[in-house]
């Protein structure tokens, strides 16, 4: 597994755990960085956690606007919701990641970690946001 793929998975774990426990992502991130019992947290994983946290309201707004049907962010499976948040963060705020890479990575994690329908759903939502990403980046 490539370093950035591992970092995305680690960020997913931290964000998912944060939500499940009701703790701030920064608290869970700090705990993971201080322990020797868990895999190390790379700088890129920390960047994702901190970026998703900093831009959460805008990210969730975009996901809601581009979600299929009546799916609100709160109704989505937690893994899908977190993968979409990571994907949107990478699409809009991480310049060195190409849009197709961000989408493919999120879809692959969905394929491995979520439901059978999740890869298609994640791909669809991120694809729609990617289509307007250049315009969105100009407003950030």
């Amino acid at each position: 597994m490539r370093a950035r793929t591992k970092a995305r998975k680690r960020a997913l774990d931290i964000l998912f755990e944060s939500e499940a426990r009701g703790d701030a992502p920064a608290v869970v991130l700090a705990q993971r960085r201080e322990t020797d019992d868990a895999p190390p947290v790379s700088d890129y994983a920390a960047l994702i956690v901190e970026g998703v946290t900093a831009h959460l309201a805008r990210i969730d707004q975009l996901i809601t606007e581009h979600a299929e049907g009546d799916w609100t962010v709160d109704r989505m499976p937690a893994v899908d919701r977190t993968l979409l948040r990571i994907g949107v963060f990478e699409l809009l705020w991480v310049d060195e990641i190409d849009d197709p890479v961000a989408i493919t990575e999120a879809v692959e994690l969905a394929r491995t970690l979520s439901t059978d329908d999740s890869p298609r759903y994640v791909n669809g939502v991120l694809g729609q946001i990617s289509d307007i990403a250049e315009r969105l980046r100009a407003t950030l």
Side-chain angles (χ1 to χ4, degrees):
M1 190 180 290
R2 294 178 314 234
R4 290 224 169 152
T5 301
K6 286 180 185 177
R8 287 178 187 93
K9 171 69 170 75
R10 192 71 177 125
L12 171 72
D13 292 344
I14 291 167
L15 291 166
F16 182 87
E17 180 179 345
S18 163
E19 186 175 321
R21 287 180 20 192
D23 290 339
V27 170
V28 177
L29 176 62
Q31 290 170 345
R32 294 301 155 257
R33 286 196 132 173
E34 294 169 0
T35 185
D36 294 330
D37 296 339
V41 178
S42 70
D43 290 341
Y44 191 67
L47 173 79
I48 292 171
V49 171
E50 292 163 353
V52 167
T53 303
H55 302 288
L56 186 61
R58 181 67 174 131
I59 290 170
D60 281 358
Q61 177 189 17
L62 288 166
I63 292 169
T64 299
E65 289 172 3
H66 297 281
E68 297 176 18
D70 294 329
W71 283 92
T72 63
V73 173
D74 292 337
R75 282 189 60 212
M76 293 176 186
V79 171
D80 296 0
R81 174 175 51 243
T82 305
L83 285 171
L84 286 168
R85 287 171 172 164
I86 291 169
V88 171
F89 172 70
E90 285 190 313
L91 285 171
L92 300 180
W93 284 277
V94 183
D95 294 335
E96 67 266 15
I97 302 294
D98 293 332
D99 291 1
V101 172
I103 294 169
T104 299
E105 289 285 333
V107 168
E108 288 304 314
L109 283 169
R111 184 171 285 116
T112 304
L113 301 171
S114 197
T115 69
D116 290 341
D117 295 329
S118 294
R120 183 193 61 76
Y121 188 78
V122 167
N123 186 61
V125 173
L126 292 179
Q128 288 182 45
I129 294 170
S130 175
D131 289 345
I132 60 169
E134 191 171 320
R135 185 168 35 103
L136 290 170
R137 285 184 204 109
T139 67
L140 300 176

